[in-house]
Amino acid sequence: MAKFFGRGRGLEYLSQQQVLDWHQHALQLLSTVGAKVSWEPALKLLAEAGCDVNKSTCLVRMPAHLVEQAIRLAPGRFRLGGRDPATDVIVGGLEVHTTGSGNCVNVIDLESGEHRPGTFRDLQDMVRLQDALDNLETCQNPITPQDLPRPGLYVKAFEGMVRNTGKHLINQAESGEEVNDHVDILAAAVGSREEVLRRKLVSFVCCFKSPFTYGEENLRVLFECARLGLPLLIETDPISGATAPVTLAGLLVQQAAELLFGIALAQLVSPGAPVFFANAPTVMDMRSGVVSEGSPERCLYYIYCAQLCRHYDIPSCGVPGTSDSKQNDLQSGIERTATLLTSALAGYNLLYSAAGTINSVLTSSLEGIVVDDELYSYVRRVLRGIDFSSEKIDSSLEAIARVAHSGKSFLTDKHTRDNLRAEHWLPTIMDRRTYEVFEASDQKGILDFARAKARKILADHQPLALAAGADKAIEAVVERAARRAENRG
Amino acid sequence: MADLNQLRRISEAVQAGDADACAGHTKQSLEAGASPLEIIEQGLTAGIRVVGEKFGCGEMFLPELMLAMQAMKEGLKLVDPELKKMKLEQKSLGKVLMGTVKGDIHDIGKDIVSSMLELNGYKVVDLGINVAAETFTRKIGEERPQVIGLSAMLTTTMQEQRRVVEALRESGLREQVKVIVGGAPVSQKWAGEIGADGYGANAELAVKLVKTLTGAA
């Protein structure tokens, strides 16, 4: 069993031939321009597999057949398990799933409204809040806590995540050992490492640098995850006009090549390793030099990439729902909704990391997370479409015959009551009051409602408890990680 | 003594908005010797109270509320003659005469407000749609309500609300009743302008207004 969120509608701009051409261009880039790989074990593996490896420049040219083989080996569907099995999701095909807030450094304080550095406490509040919000299905580390010591930061953050949610977890790591720290923390929480690996309770982001730069830290994580069979978000975030061509097609070809290289590497380490084609492509704002996360180009990138990923039958993962606005305002509403809705309609498989964020995914807030849960719910309703089954039509025709000319309205017909909840989306924090009620109320719209909902959830909600004796074991792992990171300096 | 299970079934039928079941259980209860007051208090009203609470916190919606009201009314119809035999009357906070004004055939807003008033313990006499000013004045004489509610959906027909208020004045009835107005184009300002006693921006506020006007708040 796994949760169902919605099914994309395969919104497509390209012909089949254009998709094939796109793929051929990407292959060509990998066999000519190649990738820069700065870790000896990876270079060795690539050379053995038949790549053209230049040891002095670390440049690797990958032949097309290795890429084609990797696309065949990479699974089209896989499970993202949660500590609470009822929250499991399966990614692939046209199915759309979601993630909560991701990797911000600042928060807007729920009570004071102040924009300030995010803390470990904020991380835990956000994760616990998301645990209670049904439309945020998996959990990415929402905050890089600014009040924790740098060594072993991700592992300590992960402890905060595990304690506060039963949903599938996504995090970053700085080494293969840290990947195992994550597995050990979860093993303490659920009882065994075997269970963590079998049910794939955690995924890791491997974000490589555009253009074509594969650093040691991420390669170590990639190797360890592939070896353990944990899902990998193989990602690059090319910036149109800065780290990729200004032409959007050029960026998309470059990015496909970059991600296929990472995917091929994972399949060489462990054939069948579960991988995402993950990306957050952007454009550079050529007035300010700021990287824009909320542009219409972002909508297009995801529509096009969804089509390519379906061609590859490899799950896609991206960061729509982002905004460049510095506050939860109309701009953020426009950017979040547009990028999210188009990506979902296109069938992007995992909409991740953006919930609740503004300021180009640098700032998150509890009220923003509640608002985005509502937005995801709205999108979910759109994905579901309209039930045009003969059953629905027949009962509706009967209702029309019963009500029309009877002097009554549909409001008091049983057909209305019986179908209301399935047909109409029922908002929880949208302002649908009359103007006079709004005017007389202290609650001035969606953000006030969202804050009230966040406060209530934080006061009431308890996440799934950890296995008995977990606390001590988790503490030991976190200490081990901090010590190791300090020694490494 | 009433069978508590039977009273619970009446309450549940009201909550489910099932008029037939509500009438059936009410009838059985009466035949089994339950007192009309018990049926009202522990069956019908108990059920509608649950519905009102759930509606208030967003768990139930208008169609469910209105069907529940209809179910309760079916039960009350059966209990009423028994009450009369005992020389008792249904408890009520007051009587409200409701109607959509002449030239206007929109009734959904009026029906919603009527249901909410009934839910809150008022007796509502609904004159329906396209109701002429003379009909309002005549019915005030017959029904002796504390409040009359005038509904208008259109910017053209809202003028008729003013005419009804004038007709009340002309027939010397204006001081006997409070007048409330409602409808999409209507506002508090409009209510003041035409000499009505109040306006409710939604059904909930309309109830609050009626409670204030009848001294029940």
Side-chain angles (χ1 to χ4, degrees):
Chain A
M1 272 303 286
K3 271 189 73 184
F4 178 74
F5 181 85
R7 185 163 286 117
R9 297 288 156 172
L11 189 59
E12 290 183 351
Y13 278 51
L14 292 177
S15 69
Q16 184 60 22
Q17 187 56 50
Q18 285 172 309
V19 174
L20 293 172
D21 291 347
W22 179 0
H23 174 57
Q24 286 306 320
H25 295 315
L27 291 179
Q28 202 187 345
L29 280 180
L30 286 178
S31 64
T32 55
V33 175
K36 186 159 190 159
V37 177
S38 31
W39 190 43
E40 179 51 35
L43 288 168
K44 185 162 173 278
L45 182 66
L46 288 160
E48 283 168 8
C51 292
D52 170 12
V53 174
N54 181 326
K55 292 241 166 152
S56 58
T57 60
C58 294
L59 276 180
V60 178
R61 295 195 178 90
M62 183 177 272
H65 74 89
L66 275 188
V67 182
E68 300 286 11
Q69 176 186 296
I71 293 169
R72 279 194 302 276
L73 286 171
R77 289 166 69 78
F78 49 87
R79 179 179 297 266
L80 303 178
R83 198 159 59 80
D84 174 359
T87 66
D88 284 12
V89 302
I90 291 173
V91 290
L94 272 171
E95 270 204 41
V96 175
H97 289 289
T98 69
T99 303
S101 195
N103 271 329
C104 291
V105 287
N106 307 301
V107 298
I108 298 173
D109 190 279
L110 182 68
E111 299 308 330
S112 70
E114 182 197 357
H115 188 268
R116 58 166 176 78
T119 64
F120 188 49
R121 175 65 202 264
D122 293 321
L123 177 150
Q124 295 175 81
D125 283 350
M126 285 182 175
V127 172
R128 193 156 57 87
L129 175 70
Q130 290 176 174
D131 190 55
L133 296 171
D134 194 44
N135 299 296
L136 306 177
E137 298 182 286
T138 62
C139 176
Q140 147 94 325
N141 176 5
I143 293 287
T144 306
Q146 303 296 296
D147 59 339
L148 291 184
R150 184 68 191 76
L153 176 80
Y154 289 124
V155 176
K156 181 67 184 166
F158 191 67
E159 179 198 345
M161 295 164 68
V162 170
R163 288 186 183 282
N164 285 285
T165 187
K167 295 178 182 179
H168 179 78
L169 299 170
I170 304 171
N171 202 16
Q172 281 162 276
E174 296 182 291
S175 64
E177 290 98 326
E178 274 200 9
V179 170
N180 281 293
D181 293 338
H182 284 71
V183 174
D184 288 340
I185 288 176
L186 271 170
V190 299
S192 76
R193 268 180 76 96
E194 189 275 331
E195 164 112 353
V196 177
L197 300 178
R198 183 178 56 83
R199 300 200 48 246
K200 303 189 197 312
L201 298 186
V202 57
S203 304
F204 286 87
V205 182
C206 269
C207 191
F208 296 107
K209 193 164 155 269
S210 290
F212 299 104
T213 308
Y214 299 79
E216 173 175 344
E217 204 174 86
N218 274 317
L219 288 170
R220 285 177 181 273
V221 172
L222 181 145
F223 270 54
E224 192 60 16
C225 283
R227 203 178 62 75
L228 293 172
L230 292 174
L232 271 163
L233 283 68
I234 293 178
E235 176 173 345
T236 63
D237 301 341
I239 305 163
S240 170
T243 62
V246 71
T247 49
L248 305 186
L251 177 143
L252 287 176
V253 172
Q254 176 186 316
Q255 173 162 67
E258 289 171 344
L259 296 181
L260 287 173
F261 186 84
I263 288 167
L265 195 48
Q267 301 308 319
L268 286 175
V269 174
S270 175
V275 289
F276 280 101
F277 183 104
N279 58 354
T282 51
V283 294
M284 177 172 278
D285 181 87
M286 293 300 184
R287 290 194 195 99
S288 63
V290 164
V291 172
S292 166
E293 298 264 356
S295 65
E297 292 84 359
R298 184 51 91 64
C299 304
L300 291 167
Y301 289 139
Y302 286 145
I303 296 170
Y304 280 71
C305 287
Q307 192 176 352
L308 183 70
C309 286
R310 270 199 298 284
H311 171 70
Y312 290 151
D313 193 23
I314 293 175
S316 52
C317 167
V319 195
T322 43
S323 171
D324 301 319
S325 179
K326 306 302 171 277
Q327 42 189 338
N328 284 309
D329 61 359
L330 268 175
Q331 180 185 337
S332 95
I334 291 170
E335 292 171 335
R336 281 148 97 148
T337 306
T339 51
L340 198 67
L341 190 55
T342 47
S343 306
L345 285 170
Y348 229 55
N349 296 126
L350 186 63
L351 315 176
Y352 113 106
S353 171
T357 69
I358 50 169
N359 191 18
S360 313
V361 208
L362 290 170
T363 301
S364 189
S365 65
L366 292 161
E367 62 263 49
I369 288 170
V370 172
V371 168
D372 278 349
D373 175 68
E374 187 94 340
L375 173 56
Y376 281 27
S377 162
Y378 187 118
V379 167
R380 194 173 192 173
R381 176 67 191 92
V382 175
L383 289 183
R384 190 150 56 83
I386 293 172
D387 187 347
F388 249 71
S389 64
S390 58
E391 198 180 85
K392 282 279 167 182
I393 298 277
D394 289 349
S395 70
S396 304
L397 294 180
E398 285 164 21
I400 293 169
R402 203 161 47 234
V403 173
H405 318 309
S406 74
K408 290 183 182 160
S409 77
F410 288 90
L411 204 46
T412 50
D413 195 81
K414 281 186 181 160
H415 181 257
T416 307
R417 178 199 56 191
D418 295 345
N419 290 280
L420 166 70
R421 283 173 162 80
E423 292 286 321
H424 288 194
W425 179 67
L426 298 166
T428 68
I429 54 167
M430 293 288 188
D431 195 344
R432 288 181 167 181
R433 300 170 297 178
T434 58
Y435 193 83
E436 288 78 1
V437 175
F438 158 80
E439 206 175 21
S441 165
D442 291 335
Q443 294 194 301
K444 294 297 182 200
I446 188 165
L447 285 173
D448 283 337
F449 292 131
R451 280 188 275 265
K453 186 169 170 181
R455 284 187 196 107
K456 188 169 179 347
I457 290 172
L458 289 177
D460 297 343
H461 180 70
Q462 286 306 324
L464 184 66
L466 307 182
D471 288 345
K472 232 176 150 181
I474 290 176
E475 225 168 87
V477 178
V478 173
E479 265 174 38
R480 177 181 86 195
R483 236 179 298 123
R484 191 179 52 236
E486 268 168 27
N487 291 341
R488 194 175 292 149
Chain B
M1 260 311 280
D3 177 349
L4 287 178
N5 274 331
Q6 213 147 32
L7 294 177
R8 188 170 46 78
R9 279 193 286 272
I10 294 174
S11 165
E12 283 166 2
V14 171
Q15 291 171 51
D18 188 336
D20 292 343
C22 184
H25 292 308
T26 304
K27 199 155 168 257
Q28 279 174 25
S29 276
L30 285 169
E31 284 165 3
S35 91
L37 287 175
E38 277 175 328
I39 292 174
I40 291 174
E41 273 305 312
Q42 294 170 53
L44 300 167
T45 314
I48 209 69
R49 212 176 288 131
V50 174
V51 173
E53 278 161 16
K54 288 191 172 171
F55 181 75
C57 65
E59 275 176 46
M60 286 183 104
F61 301 94
L62 277 173
E64 293 156 324
L65 174 77
M66 295 176 77
L67 283 172
M69 287 308 308
Q70 286 186 355
M72 182 176 85
K73 279 199 226 167
E74 286 305 309
L76 283 176
K77 261 191 225 162
L78 297 169
V79 176
D80 212 34
E82 300 303 316
L83 277 180
K84 290 227 166 77
K85 276 188 218 159
M86 298 165 68
K87 309 251 184 251
L88 290 172
E89 283 214 354
Q90 283 178 38
K91 271 191 267 172
S92 142
L93 288 177
K95 194 189 265 188
V96 183
L97 202 59
M98 295 285 287
T100 301
V101 296
K102 190 174 167 186
D104 200 321
I105 57 166
H106 297 93
D107 54 3
I108 289 179
K110 166 184 67 66
D111 290 350
I112 293 171
V113 173
S114 298
S115 284
M116 289 291 278
L117 284 169
E118 285 174 327
L119 176 71
N120 281 277
Y122 285 90
K123 184 162 171 51
V124 173
V125 179
D126 188 351
L127 302 181
I129 54 173
N130 196 20
V131 181
E134 312 78 77
T135 313
F136 277 110
T137 51
R138 179 165 49 79
K139 282 287 178 181
I140 287 169
E142 290 170 17
E143 298 283 350
R144 309 238 160 247
Q146 281 83 45
V147 179
I148 70 165
L150 309 175
S151 176
M153 177 68 192
L154 308 173
T155 49
T156 47
T157 54
M158 64 192 275
Q159 295 296 335
E160 186 66 19
Q161 292 178 331
R162 187 200 298 272
R163 285 207 39 212
V164 176
V165 177
E166 282 165 4
L168 291 177
R169 241 182 247 125
E170 285 157 16
S171 49
L173 293 167
R174 181 65 187 90
E175 299 311 312
Q176 290 180 25
V177 290
K178 302 288 184 188
V179 180
I180 62 170
V181 290
V186 178
S187 65
Q188 183 63 49
K189 187 166 167 282
W190 171 251
E193 202 176 306
I194 64 171
D197 294 296
Y199 153 80
N202 61 26
E204 213 177 314
L205 289 178
V207 171
K208 221 168 147 187
L209 173 67
V210 170
K211 282 187 173 172
T212 309
L213 292 174
T214 56

